[in-house]
Amino acid sequence: MMTLERPLTKNIKPNTPPMGLHAYQAAGGYEAVRQTLGRVAPADLVEMVIQSGLGGRGGGGFSAGRKWQLMPDPKADPGPRYLVINADEMEPGTFKDRLLLEGDPHQMIEGIILSAYAIQADISYIFVRGEYGTAITRLESAIGAARDAGLLGRNILGSSYDLEIHVHGGAGRYICGEETALLNSLEGRRAVPRAKPPFPQISGLWGRPTVVNNVETICNIPHIVLRGVDWYKSLGLDGESGTKIYGVSGRVKSPGTFELPMGTTLNDLIEHAGGMREGYQLRAVLPGGASTAFLLDDQLDIPLSFAGVAKAGSRLGTGTAIILDDRTCPVGMLHNLQHFFAQESCGWCAPCRDGLPWVERILAKIESGQGEMSDLALLDDIAGTLGPGRTFCALAPGAMASLVSGLTYFRAEFEQHIHTKSCGWT
Amino acid sequence: MHLTPADIAALGEIVGHYPHKRAACIDALKYMQARHGYVSDQSLEAIAVLLDMSPAELDEVATFYNLIFRKPVGEKVIYLCDSVTCWMLGRDKIARKIQDLIGIRQGETSTDGRYTLLPIVCLGHCDHAPAMMIDDRLFGDVEPGQLPGILEPPD
C-alpha cells in the first residue's frame, strides 16, 4: 500500500517547537516562493489554484482560486489590496488551525506570500483569536525571521514585489469567523456582519479589494506550487483534491488531528482515532463542528468530502468531528450547543438575537423535565424561522443544523424527558 | 488618566500597522487591561483620544468581546471551556470542584481578589477536553483532583 502523503503536517512533531527558518528552508521551504515571485504571472498562479481543485477549508468548500479570481484588475482599481487570513478558530469542536499555526508558522507565511502575490495584495493581516497566544507569538517570531531574510518587506528576493504581514490578535467572539464581521473587527468596529454584495473582493477592508481565506486553505498553496496540480489532485479521494486536516473529539480512544486524503470515510477517521473507548458506543456524529447536522451510526461509510457529506444531509464544515456517545444525553448536548449560539449571536438581526435565546430556554426547560409536547412543535417552528435565508448571516442557520437533525433523530429522548418529567441521564 | 510616553510609543507601533488608527483599538484595550487588570472609564477615554474615536464608539467595541473586561477582575482569570466536547467530558465537575476549592461560581471573583472564574467558548483544545486557561496558560485533560495543584502551583 502506498504511504500516505501528509504535506501540511510533514514538518510538525508533537510537543516540539516549530521549525525555525533554516530548518524550514532545508526541508524545501520557501522554494515555491523562489520559483514564483517575478517568474510566474499572478494570473497563472490563480489559474493553477483553480485547476488544483482546492476548496475553502474554513468550511465553505468554495474554490479558492475562483474566490481569488473575483478580485478586480489592479490597473482598473489602483490602490491597496489586502489578503486577510481567518485564524479565528472558534467553531466548537474545531482545533485544526491551531495545529498549523503553532506547528509550522513558516508554512503559513509561505502560503501567504504566494497567495498575496497571486491576488497582488501588498498587505496581509492574520486575524488570530486572542486565546491562541502561542500561535501569535510563534507567527510574530517567524515573520521577523522571514523579514530579516528578505522574504518579506520591499522587493522580495529582487522580484520588485512588496509584502508586509501583520498579526492581528482578536478579543474573542465567534462571529469574527464570519468574513465580513471579521473585517469590521479588524477595522476596530463592533464585529457585526456586513451586507453582501458587495463582496469583500470588491469592497472589503477599508473599502478596498480583499480576499479572506482560512489558515488551512492557504497552507496548501506552497505544496500545489511546488509539486503541481496533478500531484495535488491525486492526493484526494471521492473526486476531491488534496489532504484534509480532520479531527475527532469525544469519547474515542485517541482524540486528535489527522491529516488524511480529502474524502476519507468517517469510519476510517474514527479508526485513526482508535475507535470508541471501552464501554461507550457511537450514537451520532457532528462531522464538522457545532454548525453541522448530525449523522447517525449507519452513515459512517460516507466520504468526508464536501460533496459526500452534503449528499448525506450534513456539511463537511471544518472536518473536525464531534462524537456523541450512547451515555451522553442528546437533549443536554443540544442545549449546550444552543447555549453557545445564543451567547455568540452578535445581536445585529432580530431572528438570531431573540430566536436563539428562546431556543435555549425551551431546551433548558425540556432537559430539566418541565417541557411539554407543544414545546417540540414550537422548536420546529422557530427552527424554520431561523433557517437559511431568514437571517443576516449564516450563524443562526448553522445553529439550526444540529437542532433540526437532533429533533428528528432524538425524538424519542425528547419525548421521554417530557413524559417522565426528568432527564434519565447522569 | 494620562498615557505615559512609553505607553504612547508602544501603542504607536501597533497603530503603524494600519492605515486608520482605530484598527489598533483592540490591541490598545488589551494593553491597558494588561497594565491595570481591566479597562476603566479613564483608560477607555485615554485610548479614545489617542485613536481619534469617541468614548462611546470605543465602548461599543470594548463591551462586545469576551476577553475585554470593563470591570475589575481577580489577579488571575480562570477561563473554563463550556463548549460541547468539554461539556461531554465533564467540565461541570471541574466548575464544581473550583467552587469547592475557592468558593466562586462562574462570573464571580473570590473575596480575596485572587481569582475570577469565567466560562469561555471552545478553546480549540478539544482533543484534550476538558480544557481551561488560567490567564494565558492552557491546561488540558483536566481532572478535578489536579485542580489544587493547578490553582496553587508549588513555587
Side-chain angles (χ1 to χ4, degrees), chain A residues 5 7-8 49 52-65 67-68 85-89 91 94-98 100 108 177 212-221 223-224 231-237 239-247 258-264 287-289 292 304-307 315-320:
Chain A
E5 291 205 65
L8 299 175
V49 173
S52 76
L54 170 64
R57 301 298 201 237
F62 185 73
S63 159
K67 194 172 191 180
W68 292 358
I85 304 303
N86 186 345
D88 191 61
E89 181 168 72
E91 180 72 30
T94 301
F95 46 101
K96 67 182 183 69
D97 293 339
R98 182 200 277 275
L100 294 170
M108 177 83 262
V212 184
N213 280 136
N214 168 259
V215 168
E216 186 185 351
T217 309
I218 295 304
C219 288
N220 278 279
I221 305 296
H223 308 290
I224 295 172
W231 166 82
Y232 188 73
K233 289 170 91 162
S234 75
L235 296 178
L237 305 169
E240 288 186 31
S241 300
T243 59
K244 174 83 191 81
I245 313 248
Y246 293 106
F258 308 93
E259 183 180 7
L260 298 169
M262 176 57 113
T264 297
T292 58
L304 291 170
S305 60
F306 291 109
R315 289 191 311 118
L316 177 61
T318 58
T320 41

Side-chain angles (χ1 to χ4, degrees), chain A residues 283-308:
Chain A
R283 180 82 198 278
V285 181
L286 295 175
S291 308
T292 58
F294 282 102
L295 297 171
L296 291 178
D297 60 353
D298 61 359
Q299 292 176 297
L300 301 185
D301 57 344
I302 66 156
L304 291 170
S305 60
F306 291 109

Side-chain angles (χ1 to χ4, degrees), chain A residues 90 93 95 98 125 129 168 170-173 185-191 206 249 251 323 332-333 336 344, chain B residues 17-20 22-23 30 60-61 64-67 82-85 87-89 120-124 126-127:
Chain A
M90 280 178 96
F95 46 101
R98 182 200 277 275
Y125 294 103
R129 67 178 294 196
H168 181 102
R173 268 313 273 278
S185 183
L186 192 41
E187 289 184 7
R189 300 174 194 283
R190 216 172 155 89
W206 297 294
S249 70
R251 287 194 172 95
I323 312 290
M333 182 180 183
N336 175 278
E344 292 299 318
Chain B
H17 294 174
Y18 308 98
H20 299 279
R22 67 181 293 163
K30 284 187 187 169
E60 270 191 353
V61 175
F64 191 77
Y65 295 100
N66 298 330
L67 300 179
D82 70 351
S83 290
V84 60
T85 303
W87 171 80
M88 280 197 288
L89 293 177
I120 189 92
V121 295
C122 183
L123 289 168
C126 322
D127 46 345

Side-chain angles (χ1 to χ4, degrees), chain B residues 47-121:
Chain B
I47 300 168
V49 169
L50 182 78
L51 300 181
D52 292 338
M53 297 171 77
S54 74
E57 281 177 311
L58 184 59
D59 212 13
E60 270 191 353
V61 175
T63 55
F64 191 77
Y65 295 100
N66 298 330
L67 300 179
I68 304 290
F69 307 130
R70 288 286 279 116
K71 289 195 279 192
V73 291
E75 287 162 39
K76 290 183 177 186
V77 178
I78 306 166
Y79 303 93
L80 178 60
C81 177
D82 70 351
S83 290
V84 60
T85 303
C86 287
W87 171 80
M88 280 197 288
L89 293 177
R91 61 88 56 198
D92 287 348
K93 281 184 199 150
I94 306 293
R96 281 197 292 275
K97 184 71 181 178
I98 292 173
Q99 190 180 352
D100 290 347
L101 289 170
I102 49 180
I104 51 174
R105 288 176 300 184
Q106 296 184 90
E108 294 178 345
T109 298
S110 59
T111 43
D112 61 4
R114 291 187 64 198
Y115 298 101
T116 295
L117 174 62
L118 296 174
I120 189 92
V121 295

Side-chain angles (χ1 to χ4, degrees), chain A residues 233-281:
Chain A
K233 289 170 91 162
S234 75
L235 296 178
L237 305 169
D238 193 41
E240 288 186 31
S241 300
T243 59
K244 174 83 191 81
I245 313 248
Y246 293 106
V248 185
S249 70
R251 287 194 172 95
V252 289
K253 284 186 187 134
S254 311
T257 46
F258 308 93
E259 183 180 7
L260 298 169
M262 176 57 113
T264 297
T265 66
L266 190 46
N267 245 334
D268 283 351
L269 175 61
I270 292 166
E271 222 164 87
H272 278 276
M276 296 301 288
R277 283 196 210 166
E278 295 304 326
Y280 293 92
Q281 286 193 359

